Amino acid sequence: MRNKTVDVVVRGFRSSLLLSCVVLLIVGGQLVNAAHANADTGGLVTLSGIVTDATGAPVPGTTVGFGGESTVTGADGSYVLNVPPNSSSPMSFSYDAAPAPFSSLSTLVEAPLTVGSQDVVEDFVWPAETAIQVSVTDADSNPVVGVTVNAPSNALVRETLSDGTTVIEVRASAGGGSQNCTTDSNGQCTVEGVVGSSPYITSSYQPPPGGSNYPSYSAGEGEVIAVNPLTGVADVTLQFSNMSIQESDGAVTGAVYVSSPTGTTVSNVSTTPIANNTLPSGATVLTGSLSYTVSGLTPGASIDVTLQLPPGSDPTAVFKYQNGSYVDLSSIATISGDTITLHLTDGGLGDADGVANGTIVDPVIPVLLNRPNAPTITQVSGGNGSASVAFTAPTMDGGSSILDYTATCVSSDGGVTGSATGSASPLMVTGLTNGDTYTCSVMARTVVGSSSPSTASSSFSLLTPQSITFSAPLTGTVGHYATLSATGGGSGSPVVFTTDATSGVGVCNVSGANGTTLKYTSVGNCVIDANQLGNTTYAPATTVIHSIKVGKAQLINFGDLSNKTLAQSPVSVHATASSGLTVTFTTTTPAVCTAGGTNGTSITLVGAGTCIVQANQLGNATYNPAPPVNQSFKVSKASQTINFGDLSNKTLAQSSVSVHATASSGLTVTFTSTTPTVCTASGTSGATITLVAAGTCTVQASQLGNATYNPAPPVYQSFKVLKH
C-alpha cells in the first residue's frame, strides 16, 4: 500500500491529493436521470451507476453508500441502491486494499445528493495516477544537480459525474506525506504516484561546501515556467530566478557567495583577513572584510544583496568599517542561518561611496558576537519576602548592547525561588519565603544570548518581619513628663525608646525601664525613636520615629458674657492669653450666633437660644496651644409696645374713619374691630374703620413680632358712633 501526494497549480487553481484517502464534494445539482420509478422496490427509488477507472475499465469492489444504505460494485463495476424517494444524503465511494493505481481510495460527497421520486443513474470515474517529470535549470538554462523537488500532500482534483452537471472535488484527507525527488546530473527527476495532472511544485537547494556555484535556494526563488495539463505525465521545468552570482576570492574561512537581483551584476568579490582584536568587544570575525561591487542599478534604487557564508558560520551581526570605527548594519540586514540579506539603497548606509550612481560598493564584515561576561554582585539586602540585588555591569558585553539583567535567588531550605528582570541595578526579587536562607546570582542578556550566572552571593536569611505600633503626643510642655508606650512584634523583645540624633539639644530626655519616661526640658523639637530587636526567627523591627513639639504653657482669660436679645446684635467679645499672643474666637452654636470680624471678636446673633463662644490661642515656636475656653450666654427675642392714641366720637355720616398706631420695634401695626355690628376694619393693615350702626366701636391694635421681637401686648381704643 502506498501513500503519495502532489500539490497542483493551474492558472491560480491549487489542489492537493492523497492517494490513501480521497474525499469527494458535490458542488451542486440534483441527479434525476431515470424515466420512471421502480414499482418492484416497494416504493423505494433506485440509485444506480457504474464505477470505472480513468481508462474506462470497470472497478469492482468499490463500496458505494447513500444515507444508511451501501453496496459493493460487481465485476462490471455496477452498483444498485434502493433509497427512500425525495431523500437527501451525502454519498460515498471507497476502495480498500486496491492494486495500483488506486492504493486504497475513499471518497465522501459532503454536500447532500437529493433523490426525487424517480430512479437516479450516477456513474463515477476514479482519477488517474500520474508521474511528474521535473527539469531544473539555472538562469542560463544549464541543468542544476541536487535540487530537492517536492509535490506536497493534500492534492485536489475536480471531476464531473455522468450527469454532466454535478462537479466533484477529489480531496486528500490528513495523514499523507509529500512526494519528492532529487535532480540528477541532467537536472531532472520524476515524482511518482501523483493523482491528476496540473501539479504544484516547490523546490529547495543547499550547495555542498565548495561544490557549487549557486547559493542556497528556496521555493520562493523558483518559478514554474512550463506545465502540461494533459492527462498522464505532466512535465514541469523549474528555473532559478535570474541572479548574478560570483564566488569570493581569498576567503578567510571558506567560500562566500554574493548574489544580486535580475538586471544587476556582482563583481570584485573578495575577502581580506581581519584580526579579532580590532573588532568591537566580543566579536569574532567569520570571513574577514568582504568586498563586492553591484552594478547595473537605477541610481538611488533599493535592492537586496545576498551573502551565502560557508556552512556552519551562523553569523549574528554585520559591521562595516567607516571613518576609523565600526558601524553596525543590523538595521539593514536580515540573518538566517548562514545567509545574510542586506537591504541596500544606492548611496545609502550600505554604499561606501555614498552616491546614488547606479553602483553599490561596500566592504562588510560578518561576525559572530559572543555572549557577555557575567555581572558582579556588589550587595544583597534581604527584606520582607524579598531581596534587593545590586551589581555592576559585565566587563565585556560580547560586542552588542546589554538588553536586560535577570537576578535569581535560590533557597537552600527548599523554599520559593524568585527572579526579577530589569535594565539596571539593583533588581528587587520578590515572592521569597521568610525564614529561608538564600543565595542570589545575576545574568546579563544581549541579542546573542545570556551570560553565565555571576558568582553567587553570600548566603543570607529572610527573617520574618515585625513592626512597632507607637503613638506619642504631638506636643509637650516644658517641665512636664509623659509616659511612652508602644506595641512590638512577635520576637517578644521589649520596645526601647531613645532620643533621636535629630532631636533638639536639651529639649527632652528619656529615662526609666526601656526609656519609657519622657521629660520635656526646653522649647524645641523632641524626636523619639522606638526600636525592637529581632531573634533567629524575626528580623529587627523597622525604627518608628515620632516628633513632639515642646513649648511653654499659656492660659486664656475669657470672662463671662451677659445674656442678650437679638436686637442687641452684634456683640463684641474680648479675651487675653498669658503669653500675650492674640486670642481668636469661634462659635460652636452657628444656628444661634456666628463669629466674624477681626479674630472673630464680633458675634452676630442669628436666633434665640444659647450662644457658645470659644476662645483659642494656637501657640507659636515658644508657646504650646492654650487650652480653649468657652463662654455661653442666652439669646432671646426683644420686647415691643404699641402707642395707640384716643379716638373721638363719630356720626354714621362721618364713615369711614382712619386710625394710626406705632410699635416701639418699628414694625407695622395692624387693626381689627372687636364690635363688628357697629364698625369693621379694612384696607391696608385694617387702618380704615367703616361705621355700620350706632353704638360703641372698639378697635384693637396688634403687632405679632418677628424673629427678633416678641409680639406686642394689644392696645384697645373705643369711641361712640351716633346717628347724627
Side-chain angles (χ1 to χ4, degrees):
M1 184 177 298
R2 295 176 295 170
N3 270 352
K4 297 182 179 180
T5 306
V6 64
D7 278 356
V8 181
V9 171
V10 180
R11 295 181 180 91
F13 169 68
R14 176 172 179 173
S15 62
S16 300
L17 178 62
L18 172 67
L19 295 185
S20 64
C21 184
V22 181
V23 178
L24 299 184
L25 172 63
I26 288 186
V27 176
Q30 178 172 319
L31 311 179
V32 182
N33 291 337
H36 60 277
N38 191 340
D40 298 332
T41 59
L44 299 177
V45 174
T46 298
L47 173 60
S48 62
I50 298 177
V51 179
T52 62
D53 61 19
T55 66
V59 182
T62 297
T63 300
V64 182
F66 180 87
E69 301 295 328
S70 64
T71 187
V72 178
T73 57
D76 59 354
S78 65
Y79 71 91
V80 177
L81 286 171
N82 295 321
V83 300
N86 302 313
S87 59
S88 179
S89 172
M91 187 175 184
S92 64
F93 298 84
S94 63
Y95 197 91
D96 299 326
F102 304 112
S103 307
S104 185
L105 295 173
S106 63
T107 70
L108 175 65
V109 179
E110 295 178 353
L113 172 66
T114 301
V115 176
S117 59
Q118 297 181 323
D119 293 344
V120 174
V121 176
E122 193 60 73
D123 298 334
F124 171 64
V125 179
W126 290 108
E129 186 178 64
T130 301
I132 300 174
Q133 182 172 324
V134 181
S135 298
V136 181
T137 66
D138 62 14
D140 298 320
S141 298
N142 297 314
V144 181
V145 182
V147 176
T148 299
V149 179
N150 187 46
S153 60
N154 296 326
L156 182 69
V157 178
R158 298 173 69 87
E159 302 280 347
T160 301
L161 299 184
S162 59
D163 62 2
T165 301
T166 305
V167 178
I168 298 177
E169 293 182 354
V170 182
R171 186 188 304 272
S173 61
S178 300
Q179 308 302 310
N180 55 66
C181 65
T182 303
T183 57
D184 56 20
S185 59
N186 296 317
Q188 297 181 343
C189 66
T190 301
V191 182
E192 301 283 354
V194 179
V195 172
S197 55
S198 307
Y200 173 73
I201 298 296
T202 64
S203 61
S204 60
Y205 177 70
Q206 178 66 44
S212 172
N213 289 327
Y214 305 107
S216 293
Y217 173 82
S218 67
E221 295 170 346
E223 298 175 357
V224 178
I225 63 173
V227 177
N228 181 357
L230 301 178
T231 302
V233 175
D235 298 322
V236 176
T237 299
L238 296 177
Q239 187 176 41
F240 275 31
S241 298
N242 292 327
M243 292 182 287
S244 178
I245 304 171
Q246 180 172 336
E247 181 178 346
S248 65
D249 298 324
V252 175
T253 57
V256 178
Y257 302 94
V258 181
S259 62
S260 63
T262 302
T264 64
T265 302
V266 175
S267 60
N268 304 323
V269 180
S270 64
T271 54
T272 302
I274 295 178
N276 284 330
N277 60 11
T278 67
L279 293 171
S281 173
T284 301
V285 68
L286 295 174
T287 65
S289 178
L290 174 63
S291 300
Y292 61 88
T293 299
V294 180
S295 56
L297 288 78
T298 300
S302 296
I303 64 168
D304 287 349
V305 172
T306 301
L307 312 179
Q308 180 65 52
L309 275 61
S313 298
D314 293 324
T316 56
V318 185
F319 289 95
K320 67 178 291 184
Y321 191 74
Q322 177 176 300
N323 299 326
S325 62
Y326 287 94
V327 178
D328 191 348
L329 297 182
S330 299
S331 62
I332 61 168
T334 300
I335 301 175
S336 177
D338 298 325
T339 302
I340 301 173
T341 301
L342 296 174
H343 312 290
L344 304 174
T345 298
D346 183 23
L349 176 61
D351 189 0
D353 61 21
V355 179
N357 55 8
T359 300
I360 293 178
V361 180
D362 206 20
V364 296
I365 306 166
V367 299
L368 177 65
L369 296 178
N370 296 321
R371 297 172 185 264
N373 289 344
T376 300
I377 290 180
T378 57
Q379 184 178 3
V380 177
S381 302
N384 180 14
S386 64
S388 175
V389 183
F391 54 89
T392 57
T395 56
M396 191 275 292
D397 61 15
S400 54
S401 301
I402 302 295
L403 297 178
D404 53 44
Y405 298 90
T406 298
T408 301
C409 297
V410 179
S411 169
S412 59
D413 302 314
V416 175
T417 294
S419 63
T421 299
S423 59
S425 171
L427 295 176
M428 181 63 71
V429 181
T430 59
L432 305 181
T433 303
N434 287 326
D436 279 9
T437 300
Y438 282 88
T439 57
C440 300
S441 61
V442 182
M443 295 190 300
R445 184 177 69 91
T446 67
V447 292
V448 179
S450 296
S451 70
S452 299
S454 67
T455 301
S457 68
S458 299
S459 61
F460 61 95
S461 295
L462 287 183
L463 300 176
T464 301
Q466 59 178 345
S467 60
I468 297 172
T469 302
F470 174 30
S471 297
L474 297 177
T475 60
T477 302
V478 174
H480 288 205
Y481 289 84
T483 299
L484 301 176
S485 64
T487 301
S491 68
S493 300
V495 176
V496 178
F497 302 98
T498 58
T499 54
D500 189 84
T502 62
S503 184
V505 177
V507 173
C508 61
N509 58 64
V510 295
S511 60
N514 302 316
T516 56
T517 300
L518 173 63
K519 180 180 181 181
Y520 306 117
T521 56
S522 65
V523 173
N525 193 34
C526 174
V527 182
I528 301 298
D529 295 345
N531 291 282
Q532 184 183 26
L533 297 177
N535 53 23
T536 57
T537 302
Y538 289 89
T542 300
T543 300
V544 178
I545 302 174
H546 198 91
S547 294
I548 305 169
K549 179 180 175 295
V550 180
K552 294 181 178 180
Q554 62 170 331
L555 297 173
I556 295 173
N557 181 16
F558 185 17
D560 294 340
L561 300 176
S562 61
N563 295 336
K564 303 293 181 183
T565 68
L566 289 169
Q568 293 174 292
S569 180
V571 176
S572 293
V573 292
H574 177 72
T576 58
S578 60
S579 63
L581 300 175
T582 300
V583 176
T584 60
F585 301 91
T586 58
T587 69
T588 62
T589 53
V592 177
C593 54
T594 60
T598 302
N599 299 318
T601 56
S602 180
I603 307 300
T604 299
L605 309 179
V606 296
T610 299
C611 173
I612 300 175
V613 180
Q614 185 176 86
N616 293 280
Q617 213 307 303
L618 300 180
N620 59 9
T622 302
Y623 289 91
N624 286 332
V629 176
N630 292 344
Q631 291 290 0
S632 62
F633 60 94
K634 296 291 185 180
V635 179
S636 60
K637 290 184 179 183
S639 299
Q640 62 173 330
T641 59
I642 296 173
N643 181 16
F644 185 16
D646 293 340
L647 299 176
S648 62
N649 295 332
K650 302 292 181 184
T651 66
L652 288 172
Q654 291 178 294
S655 183
S656 299
V657 177
S658 293
V659 292
H660 177 73
T662 59
S664 59
S665 64
L667 300 175
T668 300
V669 176
T670 60
F671 302 92
T672 57
S673 169
T674 63
T675 55
T677 59
V678 176
C679 57
T680 60
S682 63
T684 302
S685 301
T688 299
I689 305 300
T690 301
L691 308 178
V692 296
T696 299
C697 173
T698 301
V699 179
Q700 176 181 292
S702 302
Q703 213 305 304
L704 300 180
N706 59 9
T708 302
Y709 289 90
N710 288 320
V715 177
Y716 300 88
Q717 291 291 352
S718 298
F719 62 95
K720 295 290 185 178
V721 179
L722 305 173
K723 291 184 178 180
H724 54 79

